[in-house]
Amino acid sequence: MPPIIDPHIGMSGGAPGGGTIPLATLIDYIVQRTYHELSVLSELLPRKTDMERKVEIVQFASRTRQLFIRLLALVKWASSATKVDKCSEICNFLEQQSMWFVETADMLAKMARETLVNARLPTFSLPCAIDVLTLGSYPRLPSCIRDKIVPPDAITPAEKRQTLQRLTQVIQYRLVATDLPPQMRKLKVENGRVKFNVEHEFEATLTLMGDSPKIPWRLLDITLLVEDPETGDGKSLVHSLQINYIHQLVQSRLMDNERPLHDLYRLLHTFCLSLQLEVLYSQTQRLIKDRMGDSICVEKYDIGKCLSLSYWRDPNRRDRSQDALLFRLSLHVAEDDDGRPLQISHFPSMSPEESSKVGQAIKSNHLSMERLLIQTIEVRGLAKLKDLAKDLQRFTEGACEIRDLPIALHVPLLEPSMDSEKLRVMVDCQRGNLLASVPTSKDLQEVDELEDALNGDRKNLDRLVRNLRLRLCVMRCEKSSQYLPTICQKHLPFINLTNHPLEKLSKSRLYIRVPKQSAFYLVVELVEGDTTVDYRYHLLDTTQCTSDGSEIDISEDPCPKLYLRAGRLIPLDVNSFIHGPYTKLYDEQEQSNIESKRRKRKIMLGELREPAVKKTKGQPYFTPELAYILASCEERIPLVNLGLEFEKNGVVHNGVQADCEGTCFCLSILSMPDVDGLSEEMCTKINNLLLSLKVRILSKPMRNWIVEFLFSKPVLESSNKKEQGPVQRVHIMMELNIDNLKKVVKDILDEWAGICHLYSIVHEFAQMYSDVRTELKNTVEIYSYDYRKLSMIYGPSQTSLINIQWKGDAKQFNVSLGTVGNSSTVNPHTVLLSQYQRELNHTRSLAQICQVLHETWAPMMSINKLNMSLVQAAATNTKQPMQSFTVIPQSTTHVRIAFRNISCIDVHFRSNKIVSVRDGAYSLFDNSKAVDGFSPTSMFKHFLNKYVDDAITGRHTHRMSTTEDDNPPSPMDSIDIFSLSSQPPSTGSPASRQRGETGLRFPMTPPSNPHTPASPSAARMSGVTPSPSTALIGTPSPGTLLNVGSPGNPQLHVPSPGSSAFVPAPSPQSLGIHMPSPASGFMGPQGLDVGSPFTNASLAMPSPVQRNWPNSPSVAGPSPASRHTAHSPGNPALHSPQTQAKDGDHSKAAMISHTTRMLPQRAWAASIPTLLSHDAFDTLLTPNRPQGLPYTVSLSPLERFLGSVYLRRNLPRLIQSESLTPLRSTDPNITSFKVETLQFHVTFSNNLQSLHMNVQPVPEHRDQWSVEVLNIIQQYFDSKVACPPYKVNALRAFCRILDTPIRILKDCVQMMRLELMGPNQSGNMKWSMQWCLTVPPHAAFVAPAGTAAVAKNKQIKMLLMLQFTRANIQPPAGQDPQSIIVPLLYDISANTIQHMEPVRGQPQTPAYMAVSQLLQNFYHPQSAECILFPAVQHIMANLNL
């Protein structure tokens, strides 16, 4: 239907032109109307033809259009409606005034013509007017009017009080002279009336109308006090008309009566008793209707006389003929005395004591039939229960009690018993029947049978009580089993019960499965007694089988086995279980019969005070004997089976016994078998240390085996306070699985084997640890040793932790590392964890491990300081991040450090706080080849030489001659290695001996077969006359270089490149452990390689050929010795003696003066190890902020050097890819190129930790560039390009800037100058500028993040990105200044600049719109000058966001 528009809404009446309506309401009405018409069209148009639909649509559109046109006109007119409203209001006001004038004239004319013509006045009463005006009264008023209208004067209050006081005296006299009923002695006289009050019946108010003795009493008011407290709700029970009738009747009795007050009481008392009977009758009817039903019945009701009802009426009672079974209650009026209340009578009659409890009369203060019935039924029920208690007392030992509300008879059938186990007998308050129940359970058949017998003839009562007692015992066992993880059943599917001992047991029995033992059941047999029940327990062994008795394996039989075969039935002695050692359940001492009688006699004579009754402790229905026997069987059976499995494995034990503390059962092992891989003597030592071995079962929180080893005091004393005692306990927890005891025994034997293996290495280590000469106690501290695991702490502050434990499944030692105490870093040896574990399992020497950990802690801590973070877009591929440093462990004393997967550093840890460092990109076998994946690092040798500490390696440092600087050394250097074999063998530690015998090790080798390398000296010396000294060696085979003696010289012993002779590891030799070591022939007195044979002539081996060292021919590569003993001119520790006077750049004085000479690049120089002290190595790897560098990022010197090398390595490729012009340089350390007007020379700084660019103009354009501008380019390169994080694309963007035309380049230099000024940019600018050389992540819509942020298109257009940061405004605390990224597109040919448009789908931000508007309004005169820098200044000065 169309919307209903109320014409009166918003209308203001009174105006002739109509009212007003809000514009919003009008628009709402129009929209509703349009929507209604549109919905009607949508419903009607489908039924019409196409032409009719078109016509209707056109008509609807036309009507709607006209309507909205009118609305539009109205809205436009409404803009000037205020003026029209004012004019209309003025017109309305004038019209109203005119209407009032016309109306006044018409009324006056009508009054003059019609009303005043007929108007007349009487003669004026002048005397009355004078009286009123002068006297203020009207004395001439007629008396008839005065008598009818004016009331007489009232008496005064004093007269009232006098009259009432006199009347009160008259009433008091009358009461004294009159005989009053005794029930009406409660009265009150006041204000001339007397009020008689009979409690809970009535209240009457009387008065006298005079003082004559013959004047009768006048009844003023009657109030009936009888109430119905249950349903009355405070309302009156008598109608007002009835009250009026009683009032008249009583008043009539008061007239002409000698004893008027007696008649008054008798009449009102009789009515109140009748009213009380009526109230009780109505309550009875409500009880029958609502709750009691047919259990009570009104036998007789005489109104005003008697009410009789019967209760305990059971319609289901079998004998209906016996009226004596009916119990009646009668309420009646006393016939002999009218003043008594309603009397109560009972049938059958009650005893006086019972009647006094109920009451002999109704208490009218609270009339309640329900309360009266409850009191009566309670007394009747109590009497009934007392009679029943006498009958049931002979069937139980305990005393029957009647207690609780409602009252109930509690019969204890068991002794002792809980309240919930007692038989509870109650009386049904409605039917009068006896209700029997046991609170512990409902719906018991025995209880129902007993209840029927109690309500019947009570035959076989003793049998029913015994059945119920047995049933309660069964329930006790069932409830007790519910607290345990087991199943209780009354029957089991046995197939062989015939002639089985189970048939001889009582029928009242239960089968309780032993927890966790599916094949064993505890049979509980219940035997009846006179008043008690005896428990007997049996253990039954069963076997699962099928219905035909077959016992096929379950795994082979797909069908489940639902039947059981009963096996052995073993009687259990309860006394031995609950009274054995540590198993006593009850603390009460058993008294003999004589002691019990003496105690009773003393109590009766008063000599002994009877103690309070002890309550049974524990949970209800719980049988402690059953629970203990089940728990005992549960714990004994697994231990017995485990003992059998131990016997199969040759382990001797002494059976299941109670633990010495009595807490549980345990299996004690007497001796353990020998362990494979250990000597019999060692196994005997460990067995002697084992004091005891016990296996227990832990049930909580999970069921597990607990194996306890008790050892004597260990050979190593630890700092753990728990291990300071004379004995050491080792606890092992294993999962308890009965079906897989073989695994449990195997795990225990494996744990024993682990204890033995760990003790075998600890025993040998303890001897060295206790020796003062070894100083191992100063190196490591025993943190904990519990025979299963050894924990040691080491390091300067003793915070690094190593744990050693034997793993039985892997048959090897397992090593774990960690920290203790307040350690600021993780354990530095974590990266070498697998290497330490492999070495320990190979050498089984704890002394060597401890010494290596101690010697390598400092360098490994330094390595952990390296920056391991990922650098995004560091290389050309912007999508793949690169890790700054990666540590690649090779052995416990050898690691490789990779930088951005390009450079590699080989680090060997040596003794006496020395580290050997070399370029790991070179192959160990051929210096002309590089390892796959790495590139040699230029200037690395020269960089390392700056950190050589002469104070540590002074006597091993030799200088390099100019000849060796330009030419490689002679192959005769190898003689220095072999000459060491002639010296006497030195003493060494077991660690050094083991390391000398480890054999071949190749941590990282070239792709060729490492075991058959070609002799590098033979490959390089083809066509070259060998040195005369090589005749001593002959033609060495590959085995000569790989730790195998050569036939040409049986004494030759050259280690392999990966052997420990090449990288001598720290050993306990320095600690005084004197043992011969084959590796000592390759180590100097301090564990270092000795220098040239000319340094120490006593160590040189005599040669049959005269050595002519200076005339030795040059070889294009290093000698084999250079790969083994580091005898190379490139090693400052092992230089030839002739070079000490020429190469002064490595001396200490030269390092201090920084006047070092740049050595020519040699491809093999960095492959020679450089010896560094631990302090120098730490300085090399510790991040710091040097003062001389233009940036303040904290990086290690090594990272700064490798980052600079990384950029310098990519610079030639960028020069070629960006079409720059490379220049030839005589110095290989300088990279030179040029652009249109400038030429650039990039080289390392003096400290080799940064790159420096030298900018010079081309000679023909020298006048176009000033020195200041060139310095800006140099400074920008040093501080913004060749700086962390060393990104190639930043260098690419800088090269693209340099390749721009000179007019653009000068503007770019001005922008560089602004950025270098930092916060000191022009004070008038609102923003500061910073050049983005790579695309930031916020501008990734232009190009992938990390891409070069400067791009050119054939000298036509140039794209660059700038970051503007808000300046001169202090941001809020905790917030950074506002900054935006602006990509600018500069048209080189047109000399115009604009904001680069965002890609499609990218929203236009306010910053984009503001910058674009600024650039559009930027006006620059047409000139040849570049507008790039002025446009940037314009943005910095005028941008507002």
Side-chain angles (χ1 to χ4, degrees), residues 186 275 447 565 726 1088 1138:
K186 187 178 180 181
L275 186 59
V447 175
R565 179 188 298 276
L1088 299 175
Q1138 289 101 343

Side-chain angles (χ1 to χ4, degrees), residues 1293-1342:
F1294 184 74
C1295 293
R1296 290 175 179 175
I1297 295 174
L1298 299 179
D1299 195 27
T1300 55
I1302 184 173
R1303 61 186 184 89
I1304 301 175
L1305 181 57
K1306 288 185 176 182
D1307 274 25
C1308 293
V1309 173
Q1310 293 299 325
M1311 295 164 61
M1312 295 178 187
R1313 179 180 60 81
L1314 280 180
E1315 184 176 354
L1316 291 175
M1317 291 173 62
N1320 298 323
Q1321 299 180 14
S1322 179
N1324 298 328
M1325 299 296 181
K1326 298 180 180 179
W1327 300 80
S1328 61
M1329 187 273 297
Q1330 184 179 0
W1331 205 321
C1332 297
L1333 296 179
T1334 58
V1335 178
H1338 301 293
F1341 63 91
V1342 178

Side-chain angles (χ1 to χ4, degrees), residues 228 230-231 275-301 306-311 313 329-331 342 362 367-374:
D228 188 353
E230 296 182 359
T231 59
L275 186 59
Q276 289 178 0
L277 282 176
E278 184 65 29
V279 169
L280 294 174
Y281 175 72
S282 63
Q283 290 180 357
T284 304
Q285 294 296 332
R286 285 196 299 270
L287 283 175
I288 294 173
K289 181 181 179 180
D290 296 341
R291 293 191 295 275
M292 305 297 288
D294 55 357
S295 62
I296 61 174
C297 177
V298 178
E299 299 289 340
K300 181 182 179 182
Y301 176 53
C306 175
L307 173 62
S308 177
L309 68 153
S310 60
Y311 56 94
R313 298 174 60 90
L329 174 66
S330 178
L331 305 174
L342 292 175
I362 282 292
L367 295 177
S368 176
M369 179 59 75
E370 186 175 6
R371 175 185 291 184
L372 180 60
L373 281 174
I374 290 174

